[in-house]
mmCIF file of all heavy atoms in Angstrom:
data_model
loop_
_atom_site.group_PDB
_atom_site.id
_atom_site.type_symbol
_atom_site.label_atom_id
_atom_site.label_comp_id
_atom_site.label_asym_id
_atom_site.label_seq_id
_atom_site.Cartn_x
_atom_site.Cartn_y
_atom_site.Cartn_z
ATOM 1 N N GLY A 57 7.611 -38.732 -53.312
ATOM 2 C CA GLY A 57 7.401 -40.177 -53.067
ATOM 3 C C GLY A 57 6.598 -40.820 -54.133
ATOM 4 O O GLY A 57 6.288 -40.366 -55.164
ATOM 5 N N ARG A 58 6.452 -42.146 -53.997
ATOM 6 C CA ARG A 58 5.823 -43.071 -54.841
ATOM 7 C C ARG A 58 4.404 -42.471 -55.258
ATOM 8 O O ARG A 58 3.651 -42.213 -54.216
ATOM 9 C CB ARG A 58 5.705 -44.513 -54.441
ATOM 10 C CG ARG A 58 5.088 -45.534 -55.316
ATOM 11 C CD ARG A 58 6.043 -45.916 -56.362
ATOM 12 N NE ARG A 58 7.134 -46.715 -55.765
ATOM 13 C CZ ARG A 58 8.184 -46.996 -56.497
ATOM 14 N NH1 ARG A 58 8.354 -46.629 -57.720
ATOM 15 N NH2 ARG A 58 9.268 -47.602 -56.026
ATOM 16 N N GLY A 59 4.040 -42.338 -56.325
ATOM 17 C CA GLY A 59 2.703 -41.923 -56.731
ATOM 18 C C GLY A 59 2.487 -40.399 -56.784
ATOM 19 O O GLY A 59 1.429 -39.884 -57.063
ATOM 20 N N ALA A 60 3.571 -39.554 -56.472
ATOM 21 C CA ALA A 60 3.302 -38.014 -56.344
ATOM 22 C C ALA A 60 2.994 -37.652 -57.786
ATOM 23 O O ALA A 60 2.146 -36.821 -57.843
ATOM 24 C CB ALA A 60 4.632 -37.446 -55.895
ATOM 25 N N CYS A 61 3.620 -38.172 -58.824
ATOM 26 C CA CYS A 61 3.136 -37.778 -60.264
ATOM 27 C C CYS A 61 2.131 -38.640 -60.741
ATOM 28 O O CYS A 61 1.187 -38.294 -61.346
ATOM 29 C CB CYS A 61 4.464 -37.793 -61.045
ATOM 30 S SG CYS A 61 4.078 -37.411 -62.878
ATOM 31 N N ASP A 62 2.221 -40.016 -60.510
ATOM 32 C CA ASP A 62 1.415 -40.893 -61.044
ATOM 33 C C ASP A 62 0.561 -41.631 -59.847
ATOM 34 O O ASP A 62 0.928 -42.749 -59.475
ATOM 35 C CB ASP A 62 2.191 -41.946 -61.870
ATOM 36 C CG ASP A 62 1.362 -42.960 -62.530
ATOM 37 O OD1 ASP A 62 0.107 -42.847 -62.643
ATOM 38 O OD2 ASP A 62 1.968 -43.972 -63.210
ATOM 39 N N THR A 63 -0.470 -41.065 -59.386
ATOM 40 C CA THR A 63 -1.202 -39.879 -59.785
ATOM 41 C C THR A 63 -1.840 -39.003 -58.755
ATOM 42 O O THR A 63 -2.935 -38.314 -58.963
ATOM 43 C CB THR A 63 -2.478 -40.402 -60.815
ATOM 44 O OG1 THR A 63 -3.310 -41.079 -59.953
ATOM 45 C CG2 THR A 63 -2.023 -41.178 -61.866
ATOM 46 N N LYS A 64 -1.096 -38.861 -57.785
ATOM 47 C CA LYS A 64 -1.561 -38.058 -56.595
ATOM 48 C C LYS A 64 -1.774 -36.561 -57.079
ATOM 49 O O LYS A 64 -2.853 -35.931 -56.699
ATOM 50 C CB LYS A 64 -0.825 -38.168 -55.331
ATOM 51 C CG LYS A 64 -0.438 -39.584 -54.775
ATOM 52 C CD LYS A 64 -1.783 -40.305 -54.435
ATOM 53 C CE LYS A 64 -1.455 -41.626 -53.857
ATOM 54 N NZ LYS A 64 -1.332 -42.662 -54.799
ATOM 55 N N SER A 65 -0.682 -36.101 -57.730
ATOM 56 C CA SER A 65 -0.891 -34.728 -58.265
ATOM 57 C C SER A 65 -2.101 -34.534 -59.221
ATOM 58 O O SER A 65 -2.709 -33.561 -59.260
ATOM 59 C CB SER A 65 0.406 -34.361 -58.996
ATOM 60 O OG SER A 65 0.653 -35.245 -60.101
ATOM 61 N N LEU A 66 -2.373 -35.544 -60.046
ATOM 62 C CA LEU A 66 -3.418 -35.410 -60.897
ATOM 63 C C LEU A 66 -4.749 -35.545 -60.275
ATOM 64 O O LEU A 66 -5.740 -34.795 -60.716
ATOM 65 C CB LEU A 66 -3.325 -36.643 -62.013
ATOM 66 C CG LEU A 66 -2.088 -36.555 -62.835
ATOM 67 C CD1 LEU A 66 -1.919 -37.756 -63.683
ATOM 68 C CD2 LEU A 66 -2.188 -35.306 -63.815
ATOM 69 N N MET A 67 -4.891 -36.258 -59.187
ATOM 70 C CA MET A 67 -6.069 -36.267 -58.376
ATOM 71 C C MET A 67 -6.413 -34.891 -57.879
ATOM 72 O O MET A 67 -7.621 -34.331 -57.894
ATOM 73 C CB MET A 67 -6.091 -37.247 -57.144
ATOM 74 C CG MET A 67 -6.309 -38.685 -57.659
ATOM 75 S SD MET A 67 -6.587 -39.852 -56.355
ATOM 76 C CE MET A 67 -5.051 -39.608 -55.470
ATOM 77 N N ALA A 68 -5.332 -34.255 -57.322
ATOM 78 C CA ALA A 68 -5.448 -32.893 -56.711
ATOM 79 C C ALA A 68 -5.897 -31.984 -57.859
ATOM 80 O O ALA A 68 -6.824 -31.008 -57.703
ATOM 81 C CB ALA A 68 -4.175 -32.446 -56.106
ATOM 82 N N ALA A 69 -5.197 -31.966 -59.011
ATOM 83 C CA ALA A 69 -5.624 -31.066 -60.146
ATOM 84 C C ALA A 69 -7.004 -31.295 -60.670
ATOM 85 O O ALA A 69 -7.754 -30.416 -60.894
ATOM 86 C CB ALA A 69 -4.544 -31.332 -61.277
ATOM 87 N N GLN A 70 -7.435 -32.611 -60.589
ATOM 88 C CA GLN A 70 -8.849 -32.890 -61.085
ATOM 89 C C GLN A 70 -9.892 -32.381 -60.075
ATOM 90 O O GLN A 70 -10.892 -31.885 -60.516
ATOM 91 C CB GLN A 70 -9.040 -34.382 -61.332
ATOM 92 C CG GLN A 70 -8.204 -34.957 -62.597
ATOM 93 C CD GLN A 70 -8.435 -36.363 -62.790
ATOM 94 O OE1 GLN A 70 -8.786 -37.102 -61.896
ATOM 95 N NE2 GLN A 70 -8.177 -36.775 -64.018
ATOM 96 N N MET A 71 -9.504 -32.464 -58.796
ATOM 97 C CA MET A 71 -10.600 -32.002 -57.931
ATOM 98 C C MET A 71 -10.686 -30.399 -57.839
ATOM 99 O O MET A 71 -11.788 -29.834 -57.815
ATOM 100 C CB MET A 71 -10.073 -32.429 -56.422
ATOM 101 C CG MET A 71 -10.348 -33.843 -56.083
ATOM 102 S SD MET A 71 -10.038 -34.400 -54.380
ATOM 103 C CE MET A 71 -8.313 -34.686 -54.409
ATOM 104 N N LEU A 72 -9.433 -29.822 -58.201
ATOM 105 C CA LEU A 72 -9.442 -28.295 -58.316
ATOM 106 C C LEU A 72 -10.247 -27.955 -59.542
ATOM 107 O O LEU A 72 -10.991 -26.943 -59.610
ATOM 108 C CB LEU A 72 -7.994 -27.769 -58.345
ATOM 109 C CG LEU A 72 -7.381 -27.855 -56.971
ATOM 110 C CD1 LEU A 72 -6.020 -27.487 -57.102
ATOM 111 C CD2 LEU A 72 -7.929 -26.948 -55.947
ATOM 112 N N ALA A 73 -10.035 -28.741 -60.650
ATOM 113 C CA ALA A 73 -10.807 -28.283 -61.865
ATOM 114 C C ALA A 73 -12.164 -28.535 -61.828
ATOM 115 O O ALA A 73 -12.948 -27.641 -62.191
ATOM 116 C CB ALA A 73 -10.153 -29.304 -63.083
ATOM 117 N N ALA A 74 -12.618 -29.667 -61.097
ATOM 118 C CA ALA A 74 -14.085 -29.815 -60.971
ATOM 119 C C ALA A 74 -14.544 -28.810 -60.133
ATOM 120 O O ALA A 74 -15.708 -28.254 -60.355
ATOM 121 C CB ALA A 74 -14.220 -31.258 -60.200
ATOM 122 N N GLN A 75 -13.953 -28.505 -59.067
ATOM 123 C CA GLN A 75 -14.279 -27.302 -58.206
ATOM 124 C C GLN A 75 -14.614 -25.943 -58.889
ATOM 125 O O GLN A 75 -15.486 -25.122 -58.719
ATOM 126 C CB GLN A 75 -13.567 -27.045 -56.972
ATOM 127 C CG GLN A 75 -13.781 -26.065 -55.940
ATOM 128 C CD GLN A 75 -12.809 -26.003 -54.827
ATOM 129 O OE1 GLN A 75 -11.777 -26.535 -54.815
ATOM 130 N NE2 GLN A 75 -13.274 -25.425 -53.709
ATOM 131 N N ALA A 76 -13.531 -25.641 -59.720
ATOM 132 C CA ALA A 76 -13.598 -24.486 -60.600
ATOM 133 C C ALA A 76 -14.841 -24.483 -61.550
ATOM 134 O O ALA A 76 -15.472 -23.468 -61.736
ATOM 135 C CB ALA A 76 -12.321 -24.276 -61.380
ATOM 136 N N LEU A 77 -15.096 -25.684 -62.193
ATOM 137 C CA LEU A 77 -16.177 -25.731 -63.112
ATOM 138 C C LEU A 77 -17.544 -25.462 -62.324
ATOM 139 O O LEU A 77 -18.355 -24.935 -62.908
ATOM 140 C CB LEU A 77 -16.097 -27.072 -63.815
ATOM 141 C CG LEU A 77 -15.079 -27.245 -64.843
ATOM 142 C CD1 LEU A 77 -15.035 -28.797 -65.362
ATOM 143 C CD2 LEU A 77 -15.364 -26.398 -66.133
ATOM 144 N N VAL A 78 -17.544 -26.140 -61.201
ATOM 145 C CA VAL A 78 -18.830 -26.007 -60.522
ATOM 146 C C VAL A 78 -19.039 -24.589 -59.999
ATOM 147 O O VAL A 78 -20.128 -24.050 -60.107
ATOM 148 C CB VAL A 78 -18.885 -26.954 -59.182
ATOM 149 C CG1 VAL A 78 -20.023 -26.512 -58.232
ATOM 150 C CG2 VAL A 78 -18.956 -28.371 -59.536
ATOM 151 N N ALA A 79 -17.914 -23.869 -59.663
ATOM 152 C CA ALA A 79 -18.061 -22.509 -59.286
ATOM 153 C C ALA A 79 -18.501 -21.602 -60.321
ATOM 154 O O ALA A 79 -19.086 -20.535 -60.255
ATOM 155 C CB ALA A 79 -16.707 -22.063 -58.684
ATOM 156 N N ALA A 80 -18.206 -22.016 -61.628
ATOM 157 C CA ALA A 80 -18.411 -21.329 -62.882
ATOM 158 C C ALA A 80 -19.862 -21.694 -63.441
ATOM 159 O O ALA A 80 -20.331 -21.319 -64.327
ATOM 160 C CB ALA A 80 -17.492 -21.563 -63.903
ATOM 161 N N GLY A 81 -20.529 -22.545 -62.680
ATOM 162 C CA GLY A 81 -21.857 -22.953 -63.029
ATOM 163 C C GLY A 81 -22.099 -24.243 -63.910
ATOM 164 O O GLY A 81 -23.106 -24.772 -64.213
ATOM 165 N N GLN A 82 -21.043 -24.958 -64.101
ATOM 166 C CA GLN A 82 -21.022 -26.260 -64.780
ATOM 167 C C GLN A 82 -21.095 -27.381 -63.790
ATOM 168 O O GLN A 82 -19.979 -27.801 -63.216
ATOM 169 C CB GLN A 82 -19.763 -26.418 -65.581
ATOM 170 C CG GLN A 82 -19.545 -25.295 -66.656
ATOM 171 C CD GLN A 82 -20.643 -25.339 -67.703
ATOM 172 O OE1 GLN A 82 -21.178 -26.334 -68.076
ATOM 173 N NE2 GLN A 82 -21.015 -24.178 -68.182
ATOM 174 N N THR A 83 -22.366 -27.765 -63.367
ATOM 175 C CA THR A 83 -22.509 -28.688 -62.203
ATOM 176 C C THR A 83 -22.636 -30.170 -62.568
ATOM 177 O O THR A 83 -22.580 -30.988 -61.800
ATOM 178 C CB THR A 83 -23.744 -28.180 -61.360
ATOM 179 O OG1 THR A 83 -24.802 -28.115 -62.231
ATOM 180 C CG2 THR A 83 -23.489 -26.919 -60.777
#
Side-chain angles (χ1 to χ4, degrees):
R58 182 78 67 192
C61 176
D62 187 5
T63 65
K64 305 303 184 274
S65 60
L66 296 169
M67 282 192 297
Q70 289 180 340
M71 287 187 279
L72 291 171
Q75 185 178 17
L77 286 169
V78 169
Q82 303 294 325
T83 59

